[in-house]
Amino acid sequence: MSRTPQTSPLRERRRAARYEIERSLAPHVEEEWAEGFVIELRLLDVPGDVLGAALTEVESHCAESGEKASEVFGDPVAYARSLDLPVQPAGRWDMVTVLGPVGSQVLGMLVLGWGGGAAVDAWRTGAAGATVGLTVGMLLMVVALGVVLLLFARHSSTVLRHILDRPVVSWLVLTLLTGSLGVCAVLLDSEVLVLSAVPVATAGALALVAGTVWSVVQVRQGALDDPVVSPLPVAGEGAGEAADRGARVASSLITWTVPLLALAPLGAAWLFAGP
């Protein structure tokens, strides 16, 4: 007697969360096909309302004919590209709006780690006049951060497509690059400038707080929201709310991850500093 495999409740909840938008807008379309279609149009910078209308057309055809989208429209990526839909025009300040908060946060985290670690260590050991040496490696890390942000802003669709297509390779490349910068920061220890640790830590904290507040304001105002919505009010209502909620949750996680990471070097300096 054969037994039909059953999906665990946890796995089903994860699947429901993953395909929430696809199930709301296109319940008669295969979930994986709809997901690939939506992701590709997002990578092409198609606005959410235009994307929702395109997906609704596929849903209407599949619901009426009973056919599978993969059989009628073929590969979702190729079909999405063939539509030649209008894309979101890039504004002059879009790059600043998107990358400004995270750039300020990461820069603040680095500077706070350098200055704050030295200041905490000096305070714990009773030393006076804590200083931090600005080395060639530190400058290289700051320059690399700026270059990475600029390249990502200019080629974001290409980068994201490679990450989605090859997540393991992308993770290895990112780990290698991060590790290389860390090694360079240690080896290139020639001091360019010696500064007081407290002002350096203060500048880093201000940059970190400014980036965090900037990001929180954006999340609360929905400045970066572009939900996938259907031209049919009833069908698109739940999907729009799901997209908006998911985007806000993801943005909130990113917003508070960097400040938490910034506490790590300060905690290490507090725990492992001499008496």
Side-chain angles (χ1 to χ4, degrees):
M1 180 177 179
S2 61
R3 300 178 63 181
T4 303
Q6 296 182 350
T7 304
S8 66
L10 178 59
R11 181 173 298 180
E12 177 57 31
R13 286 196 297 270
R14 290 178 177 174
R15 189 176 183 85
R18 174 179 176 179
Y19 297 114
E20 188 172 8
I21 296 175
E22 289 80 4
R23 289 182 177 183
S24 299
L25 281 179
H28 296 89
V29 179
E30 307 96 295
E31 295 170 343
E32 291 81 2
W33 193 97
E35 181 186 51
F37 181 73
V38 169
I39 289 176
E40 183 59 29
L41 290 182
R42 277 300 197 192
L43 292 176
L44 294 174
D45 291 329
V46 174
D49 56 344
V50 178
L51 194 161
L55 183 59
T56 300
E57 291 183 4
V58 176
E59 160 65 16
S60 298
H61 179 89
C62 294
E64 294 175 1
S65 65
E67 298 175 309
K68 292 184 177 181
S70 57
E71 297 175 352
V72 179
F73 302 100
D75 179 70
V77 174
Y79 178 67
R81 294 176 180 175
S82 70
L83 294 178
D84 195 23
L85 297 175
V87 299
Q88 187 75 33
R92 179 178 297 179
W93 296 103
D94 283 354
M95 183 173 66
V96 177
T97 302
V98 174
L99 299 180
V102 66
S104 298
Q105 284 185 306
V106 175
L107 179 61
M109 179 182 67
L110 292 176
V111 176
L112 177 60
W114 297 331
V120 171
D121 182 60
W123 183 49
R124 289 274 300 196
T125 57
T131 60
V132 56
L134 185 62
T135 66
V136 175
M138 291 178 177
L139 290 176
L140 178 62
M141 292 187 69
V142 174
V143 172
L145 170 63
V147 171
V148 168
L149 291 177
L150 289 175
L151 288 177
F152 181 79
R154 188 172 182 85
H155 306 286
S156 58
S157 297
T158 303
V159 173
L160 291 174
R161 185 174 283 110
H162 280 295
I163 292 175
L164 292 172
D165 292 342
R166 302 175 180 85
V168 176
V169 174
S170 300
W171 180 82
L172 290 175
V173 170
L174 179 61
T175 302
L176 179 61
L177 291 176
T178 304
S180 300
L181 285 176
V183 172
C184 290
V186 174
L187 296 179
L188 302 177
D189 57 353
S190 301
E191 293 185 349
V192 179
L193 187 63
V194 177
L195 301 172
S196 177
V198 174
V200 172
T202 302
L206 290 175
L208 180 61
V209 171
T212 302
V213 171
W214 189 357
S215 182
V216 169
V217 170
Q218 284 186 340
V219 171
R220 291 188 175 182
Q221 293 181 345
L224 302 180
D225 292 349
D226 182 24
V228 180
V229 294
S230 169
L232 305 176
V234 176
E237 183 178 358
E241 294 176 355
D244 184 67
R245 183 171 61 252
R248 288 174 183 267
V249 170
S251 298
S252 297
L253 290 175
I254 295 173
T255 296
W256 294 107
T257 295
V258 178
L260 291 176
L261 290 176
L263 298 177
L266 300 182
W270 175 267
L271 292 175
F272 300 110

